[in-house]
Amino acid sequence: MFKPAKMKKVKLQLPLEQEDKLLDDLSKLGILQVKNVEEHIPDLNVLDANIVEEKSNIENLIRRCDAILNRLPKESIFTQLIRKSNEVFVLSKDQEYELYTNAQSILSEAEDKLNTLEKLKKSKIATKEQVSSRISSLLKDNLIVLRKVKETNHMVVFEGWIKRKNVVKLKEIISKTTEGKCIISLEESKVLGKDVLRVRFVTLTSNYVALEGALSRYGIAKFSVEETKEEEPKLESIEEAIDVNSIKQKVSLLKKVLLNRLEIVKAKEKLGRSRFFVYVEGWIKEKDVNKLTSLLKNEHYDYRLSLEDPKEGEEDHVPVALENPPLIRSFEAITTMFGYPKYKQIDPTPFLAITFSLFFGLMFADVFDGLLLLAFSLLLYNGLGSRSQGGRKLSEILIAISFSSIFFGFLFGEFMGGVVKLPVVWFSSFENPMYFLEIAIIIGIAQISIGLVIGFINELIRHRIKNAIGEKLSWLLLLYGIIVILLHFYYLQSNIYFYLGIILAASGVLLIFITKPINLIEITRMISNTVSYARIVAINMSHIGISRAFALLVAPLLSSENGIIGFLLGGVFLLIAHIFIVFIESFVAFAHSLRLHFVEFFSKFFEPSENVFIPLSISKR
């Protein structure tokens, strides 16, 4: 916490025949990042033609897997978001090996089945088009195209097609002929468009001859059941016959096995090997060293192991892994959107987890909207969160900030824009915007100060004293000098504070002038950074204002004069309105929280690292 994980450099030598087993065991543990063996080591052949060929073959197989999966029916985005994934498979080593060795035949079989499925679909669609064309042609010269579906001793069931403009004439004919003893249903044809209706009617068998004669005078074309059975082919039954889900499951599983093998093959490319032994170099977290040594001992490897700390000046080449407690680990996803901090520098995630939730809650303060966001977040956690680690982290962040929204909604007394009256625990942000603005600016100054302090510490860690004083300490002095001067004029009104502010501000300007004079033009930027926190107030008032506008619109419906119906209608309208508000306004609040961190906070200290710790591991969903 507060710093990336401490790393150790690993140097490992073991017999060549144990290479595959070692990489397989390491991929299951996920603790070692394999690096390229240093070129200066003599008598080691790093490049192996067989490994290069295997890598190329695996990549081709993965591309075939992707091509097959892209041809399969896709789940809707909404389904992917909220439906829990059931694709949890644990394969034994033998099962993985069987899938890997039979990859070509599995993919060829899947491709053949999909080709068959697509041919069947095209055939069905072509047949449907032919039948549709024939019906349309017959309707030009006839009142109705008809087929007899079922006949019993007492009843006859017909169905067919008729142009919309002829429906009145059809009803007249049926009414006169059957004396009203007929049941009719009409619906738009899914095949022939809006101008043609599909008609179904049932009448007594005794009326059949008379009805047929009456229709014949106006034009009737008959179809048999066999001729029209393909009018609307059931493609779902074709997919079930081909067993599309089985194809998807098997190919997805194969892809996972191939990705695992590809990771191992890529790692093998980085190793050094001679005729008798293999040499491994890499990085491991210090806390995982015991796992590595236990593995080597328990699995009876014949090895030589060396563990080293990063050398002085090597910090920029050390891979970075963030380590935070579970409660704030999900917020690493936001930090890493900007980048990873450099090795030994301060990880801002613990600060970000607090301030991001704080800013969002202040901007999106409403108990009801927070509950709606929480409900959506829980659905997302159950659905997308079960499908990927990124989805799980996003849903956990949304859960955290929804609680912040509920909390500040209680403090400000906000619930659906005032539809439900809550007591104001702290103050009403909508009624006291200037007081709220003061709080927002204070929060902004505090965050900027933390950023400059972190930057000062980072510069000291990297032994860049000039930057620490000229680019961090100087701005702290200038910032607080200006604050003390402003406090003198507006609150304190004591000369001692005025002179103290002058001394602090002048000291800051002097340090900037001595170390890097060109940075003086950044004074306006510092002011704009501080003023940017006023957006917290603006977005809060916008959110509450929209909620109150909807509440005013619905107020007449909710009055006692309209009774239960008015209450229900008003409640439904408000629910729909607030669902819209949650999806729009929460996005705005989230985006501006990101901006305040990336532009105003991270810019004061963050130097993204290009080296990220990516251990050899089995692929994650």
Side-chain angles (χ1 to χ4, degrees):
M1 187 171 172
F2 295 112
K3 275 192 177 183
K6 191 173 182 181
M7 307 298 291
K8 291 279 190 179
K9 183 186 285 187
V10 174
K11 295 181 180 179
L12 177 64
Q13 179 181 314
L14 68 162
L16 188 61
E17 60 268 18
Q18 293 184 335
E19 176 185 13
D20 283 329
K21 185 177 186 307
L22 174 72
L23 293 176
D24 185 61
D25 288 340
L26 288 174
S27 68
K28 291 175 181 176
L29 285 178
I31 58 173
L32 181 72
Q33 177 176 315
V34 180
K35 65 184 290 286
N36 287 314
V37 169
E38 300 293 344
E39 297 179 358
H40 64 265
I41 298 178
D43 302 324
L44 288 179
N45 177 24
V46 178
L47 188 61
D48 188 316
N50 292 330
I51 294 173
V52 175
E53 183 180 357
E54 184 181 6
K55 177 185 174 185
S56 177
N57 290 337
I58 294 172
E59 289 173 339
N60 288 332
L61 291 171
I62 291 172
R63 281 192 287 270
R64 287 178 66 186
C65 288
D66 289 333
I68 290 170
L69 293 172
N70 287 333
R71 292 169 64 183
L72 295 172
K74 302 291 191 302
E75 291 181 333
S76 67
I77 294 177
F78 185 74
T79 300
Q80 292 180 44
L81 287 176
I82 68 169
R83 201 185 79 177
K84 188 172 183 178
S85 173
N86 296 318
E87 298 178 4
V88 180
F89 301 100
V90 179
L91 298 177
S92 66
K93 187 66 180 174
D94 291 339
Q95 289 173 321
E96 288 186 8
Y97 180 76
E98 183 180 356
L99 280 173
Y100 181 65
T101 53
N102 296 320
Q104 291 283 2
S105 61
I106 291 171
L107 294 177
S108 296
E109 181 184 358
E111 288 165 345
D112 289 342
K113 287 182 176 180
L114 287 179
N115 290 336
T116 301
L117 175 63
E118 288 171 358
K119 286 178 182 177
L120 283 171
K121 285 184 176 182
K122 289 177 181 178
S123 174
K124 296 294 182 183
I125 292 170
T127 303
K128 180 171 67 174
E129 290 174 349
Q130 291 172 2
V131 172
S132 302
S133 176
R134 187 178 175 193
I135 293 171
S136 298
S137 177
L138 290 171
L139 283 174
K140 291 178 181 177
D141 304 315
N142 295 280
L143 174 72
I144 190 169
V145 176
L146 202 63
R147 74 178 185 182
K148 184 164 59 177
V149 176
K150 188 177 181 180
E151 183 176 5
T152 68
N153 293 331
H154 306 286
M155 195 171 54
V156 182
V157 181
F158 292 93
E159 68 176 1
W161 299 264
I162 186 170
K163 288 187 177 179
R164 189 184 293 272
K165 64 181 182 180
N166 294 326
V167 170
V168 174
K169 174 62 71 176
L170 174 67
K171 288 182 177 180
E172 289 177 0
I173 295 169
I174 292 174
S175 177
K176 290 179 180 179
T177 308
T178 65
E179 297 180 352
K181 297 176 181 179
C182 183
I183 301 173
I184 307 174
S185 72
L186 296 164
E187 62 180 29
E188 286 188 4
S189 172
K190 298 178 181 177
V191 179
L192 298 169
K194 294 181 178 180
D195 292 333
V196 176
L197 296 178
R198 187 164 185 168
V199 58
R200 291 182 177 88
F201 53 90
V202 183
T203 188
L204 297 175
T205 304
S206 58
N207 293 327
Y208 171 61
V209 176
L211 180 60
E212 185 179 37
L215 290 172
S216 297
R217 288 195 293 273
Y218 294 94
I220 178 174
K222 293 185 179 180
F223 259 22
S224 68
V225 176
E226 287 71 22
E227 287 178 300
T228 58
K229 67 181 180 181
E230 303 295 352
E231 184 225 351
E232 293 181 5
K234 295 182 179 180
L235 298 179
E236 294 82 1
S237 61
I238 300 171
E239 292 176 1
E240 289 173 3
I242 298 294
D243 198 0
V244 174
N245 289 332
S246 176
I247 294 174
K248 181 178 180 180
Q249 186 181 97
K250 201 163 190 178
V251 173
S252 298
L253 208 54
L254 174 60
K255 181 181 176 182
K256 184 175 180 180
V257 171
L258 290 171
L259 288 171
N260 293 342
R261 182 61 189 173
L262 183 61
E263 286 297 306
I264 291 175
V265 172
K266 286 181 177 180
K268 291 175 77 170
E269 283 187 311
K270 300 176 182 180
L271 308 185
R273 57 182 59 79
S274 68
R275 293 176 58 190
F276 305 106
F277 71 90
V278 65
Y279 178 72
V280 184
E281 282 191 1
W283 294 98
I284 189 172
K285 297 178 186 177
E286 187 176 57
K287 68 171 189 176
D288 290 333
V289 168
N290 289 336
K291 292 182 182 179
L292 176 62
T293 55
S294 297
L295 170 69
L296 295 172
K297 289 176 182 178
N298 296 338
E299 296 298 325
H300 307 293
Y301 284 98
D302 184 9
Y303 68 95
R304 292 180 181 177
L305 176 65
S306 170
L307 296 167
E308 302 174 1
D309 289 323
K311 297 177 183 177
E312 189 71 26
E314 195 180 16
E315 286 83 0
D316 288 344
H317 304 289
V318 179
V320 176
L322 303 184
E323 281 191 324
N324 289 290
L327 284 175
I328 62 175
R329 191 173 296 151
S330 297
F331 285 89
E332 291 175 0
I334 295 177
T335 301
T336 55
M337 286 172 64
F338 193 86
Y340 283 77
K342 290 189 175 181
Y343 186 66
K344 286 191 175 181
Q345 294 197 349
I346 292 177
D347 173 15
T349 304
F351 302 104
L352 180 143
I354 297 170
T355 54
F356 193 91
S357 300
L358 173 67
F359 293 167
F360 185 90
L362 288 169
M363 287 188 273
F364 197 69
D366 188 289
V367 175
F368 184 76
D369 291 345
L371 289 171
L372 280 180
L373 181 59
L374 178 60
F376 172 75
S377 304
L378 292 173
L379 286 174
L380 197 66
Y381 182 83
N382 182 68
L384 186 64
S386 68
R387 296 170 182 266
S388 68
Q389 287 186 335
R392 186 177 297 109
K393 287 184 177 181
L394 173 62
S395 55
E396 288 173 349
I397 291 170
L398 291 177
I399 289 171
I401 62 178
S402 62
F403 277 115
S404 177
S405 176
I406 294 168
F407 175 72
F408 282 103
F410 275 116
L411 291 184
F412 296 160
E414 290 295 333
F415 192 107
M416 297 182 78
V419 171
V420 177
K421 300 297 181 182
L422 293 180
V424 177
V425 178
W426 185 11
F427 70 97
S428 172
S429 58
F430 195 76
E431 305 297 336
N432 299 276
M434 294 310 297
Y435 178 62
F436 192 17
L437 179 62
E438 291 177 5
I439 292 172
I441 296 299
I442 291 171
I443 291 172
I445 292 170
Q447 188 180 50
I448 290 172
S449 302
I450 292 171
L452 289 171
V453 170
I454 293 174
F456 180 76
I457 296 171
N458 284 343
E459 297 293 354
L460 291 180
I461 290 173
R462 296 172 67 84
H463 306 294
R464 298 192 298 202
I465 308 301
K466 182 179 178 181
N467 288 350
I469 296 174
E471 296 184 6
K472 311 300 176 186
L473 180 61
S474 59
W475 286 108
L476 274 171
L477 293 172
L478 177 58
L479 175 63
Y480 279 91
I482 294 172
I483 291 171
V484 172
I485 292 171
L486 292 175
L487 288 175
H488 159 72
F489 285 109
Y490 288 98
Y491 296 102
L492 304 176
Q493 297 178 350
S494 173
N495 288 336
I496 188 171
Y497 294 108
F498 177 74
Y499 294 128
L500 177 60
I502 291 291
I503 293 171
L504 290 173
S507 301
V509 171
L510 181 62
L511 288 174
I512 295 170
F513 185 79
I514 292 172
T515 55
K516 204 170 184 179
I518 195 171
N519 282 353
L520 288 171
I521 62 175
E522 296 290 317
I523 291 177
T524 55
R525 183 183 174 189
M526 177 66 74
I527 296 172
S528 68
N529 285 161
T530 307
V531 174
S532 286
Y533 289 86
R535 71 183 65 244
I536 294 174
V537 180
I539 294 170
N540 172 276
M541 296 188 71
S542 170
H543 173 225
I544 296 176
I546 292 172
S547 297
R548 293 194 177 188
F550 280 117
L552 287 173
L553 287 173
V554 177
L557 286 173
L558 298 177
S559 66
S560 57
E561 297 176 359
N562 294 308
I564 188 67
I565 295 176
F567 181 80
L568 290 175
L569 288 175
V572 170
F573 179 84
L574 275 178
L575 178 61
I576 295 171
H578 278 270
I579 289 173
F580 171 79
I581 289 172
V582 167
F583 279 96
I584 299 300
E585 291 288 315
S586 65
F587 176 79
V588 172
F590 194 96
H592 282 283
S593 294
L594 283 179
R595 187 195 183 284
L596 289 173
H597 285 83
F598 288 177
V599 177
E600 271 67 53
F601 184 46
F602 283 1
S603 62
K604 303 297 179 289
F605 65 92
F606 210 119
E607 295 181 40
S609 172
E610 297 179 0
N611 296 305
V612 180
F613 181 67
I614 306 175
L616 177 65
S617 63
I618 59 174
S619 62
K620 303 294 190 300
R621 266 203 319 270

